[in-house]
Amino acid sequence: MPETRELDLVLFGATGFVGKIIAEYLTKAAPAGARIGLAGRTRSKLEQVRSGLGPVAAEWELIEADVNDPSSLNAMVARTTAVLTTVGPYLRYGMPLVAACAHAGTHYGDLTGEVSFVREAIDRYQEVAVASGAKIVNSCGYDSVPSDLSVYQLYKRTVADNAGELTDVTLIAAVKGGVSGGTVDSLRAMVEEAATDPAKAKLLTHPYALSPDTEREPKVGRQTDQTLQRASAIHPGLPGWVGTFVMAAHNTKIVRRSNGLLGWVYGKNFRYREVMSAGRSPLAPVAAAALAGGTVAGVATTALLSRSAVGRKVLDTVLPAPGTGPSEKTRVNGWFRMKTYADTTSGTTYLATFEGKGDPGYQATAVMFAETGLALAFDRKKQSELTGILTPAAAVGDALTDRLRRAGMTIEVEPVR
């Protein structure tokens, strides 16, 4: 990639629900003089977004680009060091931009939680992106930055302490926030594809579906995303119950891919899973069971209804529409907390805490996503030398950790036993 380009960072999909939140955050977080572009299909809508961002964005470039017009994507990515895209579902709309960035040597970030999209990007554009020097970074929001950076920082701490390798690692998620139509639409796209393609369905349940080399993965037996158990089974003294975490199926694959991309440094017996806290009330076991059963039932129902036109109309009626999301009050009052317990071959157990304010799916995701883009655009000395289809930890793990800490998020690791 050339040393300098006309723009530092372009936000593609700036007129959408989450795009507007990210653009607003960039007005506060981008360094002085940053050359930012806002991109989308309609210039008039882009002008409306820019005018609502205040004087900081007055000189930001407006770029008309459409995923159905490859020439417009090629022209856009040739002008900038990095692109962030909110245009999903990525299974339907994401691959043309991946292709454009991979060929142009332009860094790229997205918010996908779609395993089959990431797998297809790896299969089609890994070698192209490596050759051009592009970092194509998937899952740069709540899917899957907290998971990915928590384990990455656990690894770094064990190396610093000479504490051996990571073995059994479990993340416990607790959140307060809303769900948008965009997230639901991405889930529908993935489930609909899996319902008609057995190979894609298998990807959703294979723990190493995103591995760079499955033959080199740890041989640790079955790893499942479904669970219902007491929290004390994870670490002695933890109260309450835990159940299935709906995002675990994607996050765990991203974390395992990071391990592979980094040379399987986490450990030859590294096992990883994620669960959801159900609290400690007398009804906690019921809540945990509902989490475990509800996730399976929800996916199964969506798959069944998606097979017919009538079923799809039912889903359109009951699910949030794309382009919608939680209210500003919900976004501001939300929060997330990820506690990751990690055993090591030395016998020491570590706890990584990753927490922040704001609805995790939108307010907090906007921070994580924007800071990933800024790290790709500006933190060249802190980036890894890896190129290709990457994860947040493998691409900008140190730079992004530093940025998120400065943005007010807690990311810390400590021994607990």
Side-chain angles (χ1 to χ4, degrees):
M1 185 174 65
E3 285 298 313
T4 59
R5 289 189 176 181
E6 180 186 348
L7 298 171
D8 299 307
L9 179 64
V10 168
L11 175 60
F12 183 48
T15 61
F17 182 84
V18 71
K20 293 176 183 176
I21 302 173
I22 295 165
E24 182 178 1
Y25 180 79
L26 284 171
T27 64
K28 306 167 187 174
R35 301 165 300 168
I36 307 292
L38 302 176
R41 290 181 297 177
T42 309
R43 185 174 183 86
S44 61
K45 291 183 179 180
L46 291 169
E47 290 173 344
Q48 290 177 1
V49 171
R50 185 175 64 178
S51 65
L53 296 175
V56 172
E59 300 302 319
W60 286 6
E61 190 77 9
L62 302 182
I63 303 170
E64 291 182 79
D66 190 326
V67 295
N68 296 313
D69 180 3
S71 64
S72 71
L73 298 180
N74 292 336
M76 175 179 71
V77 303
R79 300 175 63 186
T80 185
T81 298
V83 174
L84 293 177
T85 175
T86 68
V87 181
Y90 296 93
L91 277 167
R92 296 175 184 157
Y93 307 118
M95 206 58 69
L97 184 58
V98 170
C101 288
H103 283 286
T106 300
H107 301 327
Y108 159 107
D110 66 33
L111 293 171
T112 191
E114 301 152 78
V115 174
S116 50
F117 170 76
V118 180
R119 184 68 254 176
E120 184 178 349
I122 295 166
D123 294 340
R124 294 177 61 181
Y125 296 111
Q126 169 70 10
E127 294 182 3
V128 176
V130 168
S132 71
K135 296 180 188 294
I136 308 297
V137 190
N138 304 118
S139 307
C140 304
Y142 185 60
D143 259 346
S144 302
V145 166
S147 307
D148 207 24
L149 291 190
S150 289
V151 179
Y152 176 70
Q153 291 302 329
L154 281 164
Y155 155 70
K156 293 199 66 178
R157 178 63 185 268
T158 59
V159 170
D161 292 353
N162 194 27
E165 298 179 339
L166 298 174
T167 55
D168 289 299
V169 182
T170 300
L171 179 150
I172 306 175
V175 301
K176 178 185 178 183
V179 178
S180 87
T183 298
V184 172
D185 207 34
S186 290
L187 176 61
R188 283 185 61 181
M190 186 168 59
V191 170
E192 287 172 8
E193 183 185 55
T196 58
D197 187 337
K200 296 295 175 63
K202 186 177 180 180
L203 283 177
L204 301 185
T205 58
H206 195 302
Y208 299 113
L210 302 181
S211 172
D213 185 349
T214 55
E215 293 301 315
R216 295 185 61 187
E217 293 294 349
K219 306 299 188 289
V220 294
R222 183 171 180 264
Q223 298 180 82
T224 177
D225 297 316
Q226 305 299 318
T227 190
L228 170 60
Q229 64 180 162
R230 291 184 181 274
S232 57
I234 297 169
H235 185 70
L238 285 180
W241 290 72
V242 297
T244 300
F245 182 35
V246 68
M247 299 169 72
H250 184 76
N251 291 343
T252 55
K253 294 175 180 62
I254 291 292
V255 169
R256 295 183 191 113
R257 178 165 176 78
S258 290
N259 185 32
L261 290 170
L262 296 171
W264 289 273
V265 294
Y266 293 169
K268 59 181 175 294
N269 292 306
F270 174 68
R271 293 174 58 90
Y272 181 69
R273 63 172 180 154
E274 297 186 352
V275 299
M276 183 82 174
S277 172
R280 62 181 74 179
S281 75
L283 294 177
V286 178
L291 287 170
T295 299
V296 174
V299 171
T301 301
T302 300
L304 180 62
L305 290 174
S306 295
R307 293 179 180 178
S308 69
V310 173
R312 287 191 291 273
K313 287 183 178 180
V314 171
L315 291 174
D316 290 339
T317 301
V318 301
L319 295 177
T324 65
S327 67
E328 182 177 2
K329 181 179 180 181
T330 298
R331 298 198 310 268
V332 172
N333 291 334
W335 52 266
F336 72 94
R337 182 182 304 112
M338 320 291 266
K339 297 278 190 178
T340 307
Y341 290 86
D343 294 333
T344 64
T345 53
S346 68
T348 302
T349 297
Y350 287 86
L351 168 63
T353 300
F354 195 128
E355 60 186 5
K357 298 178 181 179
D359 163 69
Y362 295 89
Q363 206 73 18
T365 278
V367 177
M368 298 177 209
F369 197 36
E371 293 292 358
T372 301
L374 294 171
L376 288 170
F378 296 105
D379 298 344
R380 292 187 181 182
K381 293 183 179 180
K382 287 186 177 181
Q383 295 174 13
S384 76
E385 296 183 357
L386 294 173
T387 56
I389 313 301
L390 304 176
T391 60
V396 288
D398 293 320
L400 185 55
T401 299
D402 291 344
R403 282 184 166 275
L404 293 178
R405 284 171 173 159
R406 291 197 297 269
M409 293 187 181
T410 297
I411 308 174
E412 58 188 21
V413 178
E414 59 183 345
V416 291
R417 185 176 62 189

